[in-house]
């Protein structure tokens, strides 16, 4: 039996203590100045907040200095990220660019893409959208039908993407397209960067359960992409997309989305009772374990490995915990209804409406369990 490879422990370096204290201080100041903090904050865009993060070096923190980064290790960056998520800071304006699009440009982008885009990301002025899913291609991503056709100096895109988070706020969108007709499913795909807005890319809202515009449908009608906005070589799209998956699935955003709600609900006066303490304690124990696993994945990525399997385990267990925390908050709120203010009710209501999506976005539960199951099959 092949089995799941180990989660090698990774310690936080001593220097991360100072970073943690500094980030906490910054977040307290932001909260005091009226910035809204709440659960599931990594999809919420607040331009001014992102620019503040940029000016403090909190975006692209692991990138080389020549690209505007701080050259920190992934585990040091982990500290910045977990502080932001534990507080519920509105990091959505730079989140995807920091977590996956920027690193992809550093690895696979042209000199022009590096020169034009990376400084904007680091400054907190650049929101990225990820165009993978299509109306009939979600889990089965290799079946994408959006097509890019060769033209003098570049490519022309025709097709539709769906569930594109924050496309309406984005300066750029990466688009997975088929560039070779009749090629095998995983061959002939390419990743392109489309600058937005573009008259040939129409972005229509899709409202989520909370009646908010979080994602979109994006239709490309002859949208032109110059050659130097293709990531890697044409035809390498599948390799590039799959290399994103460990980045996309293992970070603290995959188990900490509802921590701000847990913090608020556990501060209710009922939290002193034994049964309640046990429930909160169990959730915290799960959080601590997942944190160790996620840090381990982060360390492995830093060493140049692609721990896609371990990332799938973190994402699957993380989504279960994020959803369980909403139920724990419900019990606490019901128990102490008289002590609950309107703000907490609003926070709870929105998180309840967002929670079902936690086990869909970034790969559904069934798909992740399929990946894990295959690894355990001789
Ligand atoms: C909040 C949110 C934000 C998102 N943001 C983005 C984004 O920014 N960019 C982007 O590209 N996409 C985004 N997505 C899309 C997301 O990646 C897809 O919804 C997801 O991959 C599932 O694809 P699908 O919706 O087409 O469902 P389908 O693939 O049609 O699946 C439907 C059901 O069938 C099950 N299923 C499918 N295949 C199998 C199988 N082989 N074995 C067992 N069960 C299977 C699935 O688990 C699911 O329950 C987002 C989704 C959500 C909910």
């Amino acid at each position: 039996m092949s089995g799941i490879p180990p989660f090698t422990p990774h310690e936080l370096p001593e220097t991360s203590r100072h970073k943690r204290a500094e980030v906490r201080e910054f977040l307290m100041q932001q909260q005091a100045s009226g910035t809204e903090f709440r659960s599931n904050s990594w999809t919420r865009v607040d331009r001014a907040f992102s620019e503040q993060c940029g000016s403090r070096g909190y975006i692209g923190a692991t990138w080389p200095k020549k690209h505007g980064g701080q050259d920190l290790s992934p585990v040091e960056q982990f500290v910045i990220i977990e502080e932001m998520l534990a507080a519920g800071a509105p990091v959505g304006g730079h989140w995807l660019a920091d977590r996956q699009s920027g690193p992809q440009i550093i690895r696979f982008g042209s000199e022009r893409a590096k020169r034009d885009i990376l400084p904007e990301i680091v400054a907190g002025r650049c929101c990225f959208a990820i165009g993978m899913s299509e109306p009939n291609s979600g889990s089965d991503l290799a079946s994408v039908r959006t097509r890019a056709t060769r033209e003098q100096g570049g490519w022309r895109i025709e097709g539709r993407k769906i569930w594109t988070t924050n496309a309406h706020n984005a300066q750029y969108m990466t688009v997975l397209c088929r560039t070779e007709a009749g090629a095998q499913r995983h061959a002939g795909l390419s990743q392109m960067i489309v600058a937005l807005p573009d008259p040939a890319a129409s972005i229509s809202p899709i409202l989520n359960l909370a009646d908010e515009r979080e994602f979109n449908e994006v239709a490309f009608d002859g949208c032109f992409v110059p050659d130097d906005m293709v990531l890697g070589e044409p035809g390498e799209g599948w390799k590039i997309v799959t290399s994103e998956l460990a980045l996309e699935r293992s970070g603290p955003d995959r188990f900490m989305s509802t921590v701000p709600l847990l913090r608020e609900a556990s501060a209710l006066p009922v939290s002193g009772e034994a049964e309640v303490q046990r429930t909160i304690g169990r959730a915290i124990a799960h959080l601590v374990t997942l944190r160790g696993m996620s840090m381990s994945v982060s360390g492995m990525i830093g060493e140049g490995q692609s721990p896609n399997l371990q990332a799938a385990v973190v994402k699957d267990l993380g989504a279960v915990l994020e959803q369980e925390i909403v139920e724990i908050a419900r019990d606490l709120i019901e128990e102490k209804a008289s002590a609950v203010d309107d703000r907490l009710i609003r926070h709870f209501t929105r998180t309840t409406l967002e929670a079902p999506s936690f086990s869909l976005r970034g790969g559904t539960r069934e798909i992740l369990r399929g990946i894990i199951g295959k690894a355990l099959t001789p």
Side-chain angles (χ1 to χ4, degrees), residues 96 129-140 162-165 214-215 357 360-367:
L96 297 179
I130 308 291
M132 293 187 191
S133 307
E134 295 184 5
N136 292 307
S137 302
S139 303
D140 184 16
I162 199 167
W163 316 124
T164 324
T165 301
E214 178 184 343
F215 37 39
S357 72
L360 298 173
R361 61 185 184 188
T364 66
R365 180 164 288 157
E366 291 75 21
I367 294 302

Side-chain angles (χ1 to χ4, degrees), residues 289-360:
T289 309
L290 276 163
R291 177 178 187 257
M293 292 162 74
S294 173
M295 255 164 56
S296 165
V297 177
S298 185
M300 286 187 261
I301 293 171
E303 287 160 5
Q305 303 176 43
S306 287
N308 287 326
L309 171 59
Q310 291 93 330
V313 175
V314 173
K315 161 82 172 71
D316 184 40
L317 294 174
V320 170
L321 178 62
E322 287 181 332
Q323 290 171 339
E324 262 174 27
I325 285 176
V326 180
E327 295 311 312
I328 293 171
R330 181 194 305 281
D331 290 345
L332 291 171
I333 288 169
E334 276 174 5
E335 195 75 25
K336 214 65 191 172
S338 57
V340 177
D341 61 15
D342 284 353
R343 214 195 76 79
L344 178 54
I345 292 290
R346 274 200 306 277
H347 188 177
F348 169 71
T349 307
R350 278 163 105 170
T351 313
T352 301
L353 292 170
E354 290 167 348
S357 72
F358 300 164
S359 50
L360 298 173

